[in-house]
């Protein structure tokens, strides 16, 4: 956001517009199966989706309690071990692409001002 705005106050005003959709579509507050079918694809655009599922996997995979309950939670959130490498890959690719985009935007702004 900082690369898109001209001052920090504008970036602070835009922050809720980026965080709220992530909280809604990542499965953090609303389970994915309760989101309307037409909007579920948005979950794959949100970095918090992958982070949330990685956190669930880390928290529940070494469950000491009822193993079937733990496996049910992992499967409900698609957080089983077979997805983990893919989630890490997507997060790293998102990080790199967003960094490159911000570098490009800052470079373009610097050239426009000079």
């Amino acid at each position: 956001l900082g690369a898109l705005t001209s001052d920090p106050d504008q970036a602070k005003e835009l922050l809720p517009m980026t965080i709220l959709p992530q909280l809604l579509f990542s499965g953090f507050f609303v389970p994915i199966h309760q989101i309307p079918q037409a909007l579920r694809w948005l979950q794959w655009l949100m970095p918090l989706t992958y982070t949330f599922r990685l956190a669930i996997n880390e928290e529940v995979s070494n469950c000491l309690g009822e193993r079937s309950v733990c496996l049910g939670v992992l499967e409900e959130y698609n957080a089983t071990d077979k997805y983990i490498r893919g989630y890490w890959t997507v997060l790293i690719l998102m990080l790199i692409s967003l960094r490159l985009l911000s570098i490009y935007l800052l470079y373009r702004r610097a050239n426009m001002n000079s």
Side-chain angles (χ1 to χ4, degrees), residues 38-106:
L39 298 175
R40 286 186 191 171
W41 63 273
L42 290 170
Q43 70 178 310
W44 304 114
L45 300 177
M46 310 295 167
L48 189 58
T49 298
Y50 306 102
T51 307
F52 179 56
R53 290 177 181 176
L54 288 168
I56 287 174
N57 179 275
E58 182 62 31
E59 198 64 32
V60 179
S61 63
N62 297 323
C63 181
L64 298 175
E66 183 70 32
R67 190 74 181 145
S68 63
V69 173
C70 297
L71 288 174
V73 170
L74 290 171
E75 289 172 3
E76 178 181 350
Y77 286 101
N78 290 329
T80 57
D81 288 338
K82 72 178 184 177
Y83 297 109
I84 298 306
R85 180 175 286 149
Y87 292 161
W88 275 113
T89 302
V90 171
L91 275 176
I92 291 168
L93 289 174
M94 282 182 168
L95 174 72
I96 291 169
S97 61
L98 290 173
R99 284 290 166 195
L100 291 173
L101 177 63
S102 66
I103 290 169
Y104 168 74
L105 292 172
L106 290 171

